[in-house]
Amino acid sequence: MTEYVSTTPGLFPLPDWAKDDLSDLKGHQKHDLITGDEDDAITAVYEDAREEVLDRQREAGLDRIAEGQLRWDDMLAHPLAVHDSVETEGIVRYYDNNNFYRDPVVTGDLTFSGDVASELETTAELTDGDALQAVLPGPYSLSDLATDEHYGDEAEFLGAVADFLAGEVDAFPDVETLFLLEPSLVENAPDDGQDERASEAIDRVANATDADVVVQPYWGALSEKAYAHLLDADIDAVGFDFVADQDDNVYNIQEYGATDDVSLGLADGQSTLVEDPEAIRDRVDWVFDQIPVSEFETVYLTTNTETFYLPYAKFEEKLAVLAEAAELAEVKAA
């Protein structure tokens, strides 16, 4: 019988009070807020905000609890932005959204950092009995968002980023699930040869953990070749953004099959319109009616993108919708 799991791709909006508090503290330079060099007052705000988003996920009834990535001001580029071998330079548009991050310029070897592992260790202490989910940028997206001034070769750089992320994952506490976010697979689709290397890089990161690994592309559908190669990676689930593109995502599953588990992005992570749980459940049925796969072992129900863009109150409502939709799907399946 299929298990339905409600979760998110992480990267939550800050609670309103935390935004206000951090704004008051911005006599400190922005650099101090996001490099791991925060002072005690700033650290305390992030710690309290983390506890709040953990509580909100529990209250909503989510099956996987994410740390929230509230410190990730540079979005998916964060793991590099805080690295000692990286210089953060000019502001760059985050894909085609009205959000921005500092360009992480890699100037030396990408050795172990431990920044994300440290966040997860703290979270694990606060999630007794909860199923903890880790979130990272996938290696292809992280290399795509960065500028390489050290390795000098595209394939070598992608491999170095994959090795870096694998080292970070190896230091994680026990987690139930790892979401690797790969929007660049859609937004800047890999060329011939590069698509196979992207899959191998994802495979390298996935093999660094015993957790269930979900690769979540979004803002559209993967090209056929990128999707086919991704299925070769040793991952548990591929994610699909059914908000941005239904037809091409359905086609990929029809033509090439799918992993044993699947992640369905059915709630809009950027829209303030809050879906009805029954509507999400009906969208699950619609997807399954279109594809030849008879049954998945696990179906993750999630927003199609990170929820960073939402007002905090709408973010809270989306959590509750996902949890209720998963419950409705479980009841119908039984």
Side-chain angles (χ1 to χ4, degrees):
M1 178 176 162
T2 300
E3 177 186 12
Y4 290 87
V5 173
S6 54
T7 188
T8 69
L11 280 165
F12 297 160
L14 276 164
D16 294 334
W17 64 264
K19 289 181 183 178
D20 293 340
D21 287 359
L22 288 172
S23 178
D24 291 342
L25 291 167
K26 281 189 178 178
H28 301 266
Q29 301 220 348
K30 175 90 166 168
H31 173 83
D32 297 327
L33 294 177
I34 52 183
T35 61
D37 299 326
E38 301 93 335
D39 68 17
D40 290 345
I42 293 170
T43 298
V45 172
Y46 282 120
E47 288 178 348
D48 290 345
R50 178 193 290 119
E51 291 192 37
E52 177 170 322
V53 298
L54 294 176
D55 287 341
R56 293 298 171 269
Q57 291 173 89
R58 290 191 197 96
E59 291 167 3
L62 287 187
D63 297 306
R64 296 290 184 273
I65 304 297
E67 186 268 336
Q69 295 73 50
L70 301 177
R71 290 177 55 243
W72 292 25
D73 284 14
D74 290 299
M75 305 296 287
L76 294 181
H78 171 85
L80 288 184
V82 298
H83 196 283
D84 290 341
S85 296
V86 174
E87 299 292 334
T88 47
E89 297 191 355
I91 299 297
V92 182
R93 184 181 293 274
Y94 183 67
Y95 299 108
D96 61 351
N97 293 281
N98 289 322
N99 289 280
F100 302 87
Y101 69 102
R102 299 172 306 159
D103 181 20
V105 179
V106 177
T107 58
D109 289 345
L110 290 176
T111 53
F112 175 73
S113 165
D115 179 84
V116 179
S118 176
E119 291 177 336
L120 284 171
E121 288 284 0
T122 301
T123 305
E125 296 172 1
L126 301 170
T127 54
D128 183 33
D130 297 321
L132 183 59
Q133 176 176 296
V135 172
L136 276 177
Y140 180 75
S141 292
L142 188 57
S143 63
D144 177 50
L145 293 171
T147 299
D148 171 34
E149 291 187 355
H150 176 67
Y151 291 94
D153 176 81
E154 185 179 82
E156 185 180 351
F157 182 52
L158 175 60
V161 171
D163 288 341
F164 162 67
L165 289 174
E168 301 301 294
V169 169
D170 188 56
F172 285 180
D174 288 338
V175 297
E176 191 79 17
T177 313
L178 168 62
F179 262 54
L180 293 177
L181 308 186
E182 282 283 14
S184 285
L185 284 176
V186 173
E187 289 288 304
N188 187 19
D191 298 327
D192 287 348
Q194 192 181 32
D195 44 17
E196 185 174 3
R197 291 194 296 272
S199 175
E200 291 170 351
I202 290 168
D203 184 83
R204 201 174 311 173
V205 179
N207 277 301
T209 180
D210 292 329
D212 293 331
V213 177
V214 180
V215 175
Q216 190 82 19
Y218 45 93
W219 290 321
L222 298 178
S223 68
E224 291 183 55
K225 287 193 67 176
Y227 181 70
H229 280 299
L230 183 56
L231 292 179
D232 291 333
D234 187 16
I235 58 178
D236 297 278
V238 173
F240 299 90
D241 180 351
F242 279 106
V243 174
D245 191 324
Q246 296 179 354
D247 293 342
D248 287 343
N249 277 314
V250 165
Y251 173 81
N252 279 340
I253 301 175
Q254 290 174 336
E255 190 72 15
Y256 299 100
T259 44
D260 290 338
D261 302 337
V262 66
S263 177
L264 304 180
L266 295 171
D268 195 330
Q270 300 180 81
S271 172
T272 56
L273 176 65
V274 178
E275 297 86 352
D276 184 81
E278 286 82 2
I280 298 295
R281 193 272 318 277
D282 290 344
R283 291 173 193 176
V284 174
D285 293 343
W286 179 87
V287 171
F288 290 170
D289 287 343
Q290 312 304 310
I291 61 178
V293 181
S294 59
E295 187 171 291
F296 293 101
E297 294 178 8
T298 303
V299 174
Y300 297 91
L301 297 186
T302 181
T303 54
N304 66 319
T305 69
E306 62 263 41
T307 53
F308 170 84
Y309 315 96
L310 294 176
Y312 189 72
K314 295 296 184 180
F315 155 74
E316 293 178 297
E317 293 181 55
K318 296 269 184 176
L319 298 182
V321 165
L322 289 168
E324 187 174 347
E327 291 178 4
L328 291 172
E330 286 276 7
V331 169
K332 183 170 183 179

